[in-house]
Amino acid sequence: MDFALILFIALVLTGVVALWDRFLGARKRTTSEAIGRSVVSGTGELVTKEKVGPSIIVEYARAFFPVILLVFVLRSFVVEPFRIPSGSMLQKLYIGDFILVDKFRYGIRLPIVNLRIFPTGAPRRGEVMVFRYPHDDSINFIKRVIGLPGDEIVYDQKRLFINGTEVQQVKSDSYQLETSRQELYVIEFSEVVGASTHSILNDRGRTSRTMTISVPEDSYFVMGDNRDHSNDSRFWGFLPTHNIEGIVVLTMAHRGLGPTTKEAIKWR
């Protein structure tokens, strides 16, 4: 089950219990205490009763409701943390890195249904964003924005063209990546897309597919920086606007939790 849905269910349950206690439970306890104070024994002495308190379920609900509400609001409308599961964005992002995603930059969306109700901006070429995989909403992907609505994209012999202009790529390094199953010989390039200058990797042992496509309205063309080991728009198509989660604004390297660069060949 999606974590956002679990959080929403917890928020509703704790909220209902807290509200019930605020308007009904507390009143019933007050009434019970008043009745207890007015009851006297057969000898005319006042009967002493213990103060009626809320049940443990009510206490937990009242304690956790504001915490869950704060987390839900922050996660749904402000920022959300993610952990990188694959090496498709090498060299920028490694397996095990943590990132923070700005959920507000591209518009305010209703949680769970992810419906944008108030636009605040749109993705730009070169930006790295997180989105729900169009063929399985339970999976989050992270890629770089290459094509905007209306753009013509050509990918030929590992060269990228946007609206007839070749994207600048300058070779910066070449080296070998070792995995448990194979050795990869990669060439690293410095690439400029939009306002972003970043590194991409090409595997010398792999050929690339040639394609010419036009990006439809309300859609984007995205690619991984590890070009020959990335499951992106070249294979599953365009990214619909409503699948976008947000833009990556902060990267927290955590190399100790995942493989090193030479081992990071779990591609997505």
Side-chain angles (χ1 to χ4, degrees):
M1 185 181 293
D2 184 79
F3 180 71
L5 181 58
I6 295 175
L7 198 63
F8 178 73
I9 293 173
L11 177 66
V12 171
L13 291 177
T14 56
V16 168
V17 174
L19 287 175
W20 175 88
D21 180 68
R22 174 69 176 81
F23 294 104
L24 294 177
R27 183 180 302 174
K28 288 183 178 181
R29 290 195 299 273
T30 302
T31 302
S32 298
E33 292 170 11
I35 293 175
R37 287 193 296 269
S38 65
V39 174
V40 294
S41 67
T43 60
E45 296 179 350
L46 184 66
V47 175
T48 302
K49 285 193 173 185
E50 293 184 0
K51 184 176 181 180
V52 180
S55 68
I56 189 170
I57 294 178
V58 172
E59 288 183 342
Y60 275 116
R62 294 195 311 190
F64 282 106
F65 174 70
V67 177
I68 296 175
L69 177 61
L70 178 62
V71 172
F72 184 78
V73 171
L74 288 176
R75 188 181 184 278
S76 300
F77 303 108
V78 186
V79 293
E80 181 178 358
F82 289 87
R83 184 182 174 188
I84 301 301
S86 70
S88 67
M89 288 299 293
L90 288 171
Q91 295 279 27
K92 179 179 175 62
L93 297 170
Y94 294 74
I95 293 176
D97 283 357
F98 286 93
I99 59 173
L100 279 182
V101 174
D102 183 348
K103 306 295 287 287
F104 184 79
R105 182 79 63 88
Y106 296 148
I108 299 176
R109 298 174 181 270
L110 290 177
I112 312 301
V113 296
N114 206 43
L115 176 66
R116 188 168 67 168
I117 57 176
F118 185 77
T120 58
R124 294 177 292 185
R125 292 189 196 93
E127 293 179 340
V128 177
M129 63 181 180
V130 170
F131 55 91
R132 291 176 291 111
Y133 180 43
H135 300 292
D136 186 348
D137 282 352
S138 66
I139 302 176
N140 290 310
F141 273 24
I142 178 170
K143 305 294 177 187
R144 190 177 299 278
V145 180
I146 299 298
L148 306 180
D151 282 351
E152 182 185 70
I153 305 296
V154 175
Y155 194 67
D156 182 26
Q157 300 299 315
K158 302 188 181 183
R159 295 184 303 162
L160 178 63
F161 299 81
I162 302 177
N163 296 326
T165 301
E166 184 172 3
V167 172
Q168 178 184 351
Q169 294 180 349
V170 178
K171 181 179 178 180
S172 57
D173 201 358
S174 61
Y175 43 88
Q176 177 179 327
L177 295 180
E178 297 178 2
T179 73
S180 59
R181 289 182 290 180
Q182 59 181 329
E183 295 180 349
L184 305 178
Y185 297 89
V186 299
I187 303 176
E188 182 175 340
F189 293 88
S190 175
E191 180 181 80
V192 180
V193 175
S196 172
T197 300
H198 49 269
S199 295
I200 65 168
L201 298 181
N202 282 335
D203 184 350
R204 291 193 295 182
R206 282 202 174 192
T207 58
S208 67
R209 61 188 306 178
T210 298
M211 59 188 309
T212 300
I213 53 95
S214 295
V215 185
E217 291 299 315
D218 295 323
S219 299
Y220 294 87
F221 187 88
V222 296
M223 297 176 69
D225 290 346
N226 195 355
R227 290 289 162 80
D228 294 314
H229 298 278
S230 173
N231 182 18
D232 51 41
S233 288
R234 292 170 294 175
F235 305 98
W236 45 256
F238 303 107
L239 169 65
T241 299
H242 62 263
N243 278 62
I244 296 173
E245 292 284 354
I247 183 176
V248 177
V249 293
L250 179 64
T251 302
M252 295 167 283
H254 208 103
R255 305 290 189 257
L257 291 181
T260 62
T261 308
K262 293 184 178 182
E263 299 168 341
I265 315 295
K266 176 188 174 186
W267 314 114
R268 172 175 294 169

